[in-house]
Amino acid sequence: MIVRNKKHILQMLFIWKGSVLKKIFPTLVAIFIFSWIVYFAHYHFPDVIIPLNVGAFALVGISLAIFLGFCNSAAYDRFWEGRKQWGSLVIHSRSLAFQIQNYIEENPQFTKKEKQEGIKLIIAFCYLLNKQLREKVDYESVRQYLSPEVYETMLTKKFKPAYILNELTKWIADQQKAGRIDTIMQSKIDDNIGELSIVLGACERIVHTKIPFVYFVILHRTVYVYCFILPFGLIDLIIWTMPFFVTFVAYTFIALDAVVAEIAEPFGEEENDLALDQMCANIAYSLSEISDMPLPELITPDKNYIVR
């Protein structure tokens, strides 16, 4: 995710990081060159390059803009839903840590260190959810939060965050059986664990339920066909400025097409996706503070204002 303040209008015109321009730049260059070819060919071979009625382009442009707006709205809904679910994860992980820290009784057989094992399971769940959503297979950073037995068993599971939630539920049940919490408090704690399970299911739904592929096919085809035939509709209207205007129109449509494709998958690692690594680090830091554990390192934006 790009984390930076809005700049002066002139600076905004030339910002590269966080813009999709670098993705679509080759296409824009191709459209610009093609427009010049159409311009020169029209004046050298007027019988071959026939201008089209610009009115048709206006009608197609309006419908294309409406369709682009719909796809952008659908993609942003997915992005915002992902952000809300991770915000909910922050809230309920802290609430669960508060309950474990303050309502489970300590005694000579159950010290603060044993209590920290439950909070470590919460942190491990957050990191494993991140890795599952991003399809990462490096779990070494999670090892410090799990016992050797749980860690080795976790590696054999397909749905690793769900397994950790199960281990957390079993850990809470063991505390109730040992008399460290009563059934009422166990029920309240289980409510927060249930909320974590809801977050897990919602994130899995976003990942596995894509925007129907047919939308991207229609959008992609229409945008590119429109941009490459637009020079034929403007060649007689704005003469030599036509390639510049066509390239600008192409930028608005193709850039929005690229934005839709990017934010429709909010859990990726592109520049405008959610900063899951930073949110995991913040959760780990917050819960470590609560439970008096060693504080992990926080993640801050790099020199390009990007945080993963």
Side-chain angles (χ1 to χ4, degrees):
M1 174 176 282
I2 299 291
V3 181
R4 66 186 306 181
N5 296 324
K6 187 176 180 180
K7 300 297 182 181
H8 187 272
I9 183 172
L10 293 178
Q11 292 176 302
M12 293 293 289
L13 288 174
F14 299 101
I15 284 179
W16 186 261
K17 285 294 181 181
S19 167
V20 295
L21 182 59
K22 56 182 173 294
K23 289 183 178 180
I24 66 174
F25 186 74
T27 304
L28 295 180
V29 171
I31 292 174
F32 183 71
I33 294 173
F34 178 76
S35 299
W36 276 112
I37 292 173
V38 172
Y39 170 76
F40 286 114
H42 175 65
Y43 285 98
H44 288 85
F45 309 99
D47 295 331
V48 177
I49 306 298
I50 302 175
L52 301 178
N53 190 331
V54 72
F57 288 93
L59 293 175
V60 175
I62 292 173
S63 61
L64 180 57
I66 293 172
F67 188 60
L68 271 168
F70 165 76
C71 289
N72 180 67
S73 178
Y76 189 77
D77 281 346
R78 291 170 56 82
F79 177 88
W80 187 240
E81 175 65 15
R83 182 62 188 90
K84 288 195 298 183
Q85 292 302 329
W86 272 80
S88 181
L89 176 62
V90 173
I91 293 170
H92 292 293
S93 61
R94 284 177 178 167
S95 296
L96 187 52
F98 294 153
Q99 292 170 330
I100 292 174
Q101 185 68 15
N102 294 287
Y103 294 145
I104 297 182
E105 298 179 1
E106 296 181 16
N107 55 48
Q109 289 75 38
F110 188 80
T111 62
K112 181 183 293 185
K113 184 176 181 180
E114 279 72 28
K115 186 184 291 188
Q116 290 171 350
E117 295 303 315
I119 295 178
K120 287 180 179 180
L121 287 171
I122 305 171
I123 298 174
F125 167 77
C126 297
Y127 276 108
L128 288 172
L129 177 57
N130 177 0
K131 293 181 182 297
Q132 177 175 301
L133 296 176
R134 289 183 166 176
E135 298 182 345
K136 291 185 175 181
V137 294
D138 177 20
Y139 304 107
E140 192 62 32
S141 59
V142 185
R143 184 190 290 270
Q144 61 180 311
Y145 298 112
L146 301 174
S147 66
E149 296 79 10
V150 172
Y151 179 78
E152 293 300 327
T153 306
M154 177 271 296
L155 293 178
T156 66
K157 304 297 182 180
K158 179 175 177 61
F159 297 101
K160 294 174 174 59
Y163 168 72
I164 296 301
L165 275 189
N166 182 62
E167 288 298 309
L168 179 58
T169 304
K170 287 168 56 178
W171 187 86
I172 294 297
D174 290 341
Q175 308 315 310
Q176 191 275 325
K177 292 175 183 177
R180 301 186 185 101
I181 54 174
D182 56 31
T183 54
I184 296 176
M185 184 49 57
Q186 181 190 15
S187 176
K188 292 182 179 295
I189 293 175
D190 284 342
D191 287 343
N192 273 318
I193 295 178
E195 292 293 338
L196 296 185
S197 181
I198 290 173
V199 170
L200 170 60
C203 290
E204 289 176 335
R205 181 186 70 242
I206 293 171
V207 168
H208 298 301
T209 308
K210 312 286 187 181
I211 295 177
F213 182 68
V214 65
Y215 282 119
F216 289 109
V217 173
I218 296 173
L219 181 61
H220 197 74
R221 286 175 178 170
T222 309
V223 165
Y224 280 86
V225 170
Y226 180 85
C227 291
F228 274 98
I229 65 174
L230 184 58
F232 297 95
L234 300 178
I235 185 62
D236 278 343
L237 294 179
I238 53 178
I239 53 176
W240 66 269
T241 61
M242 179 270 293
F244 300 95
F245 184 77
V246 168
T247 303
F248 176 73
V249 173
Y251 169 74
T252 61
F253 283 137
I254 296 175
L256 191 54
D257 179 32
V259 169
V260 167
E262 188 169 314
I263 67 172
E265 303 299 332
F267 302 131
E269 295 186 86
E270 295 186 282
E271 292 177 355
N272 293 294
D273 289 329
L274 294 174
L276 301 188
D277 290 350
Q278 184 187 53
M279 285 188 274
C280 284
N282 289 343
I283 292 172
Y285 193 98
S286 177
L287 270 57
S288 296
E289 272 191 328
I290 293 168
S291 57
D292 297 324
M293 292 191 295
L295 300 178
E297 184 178 355
L298 291 174
I299 296 177
T300 57
D302 61 21
K303 62 181 181 179
N304 294 317
Y305 307 99
I306 298 175
V307 60
R308 301 297 181 185

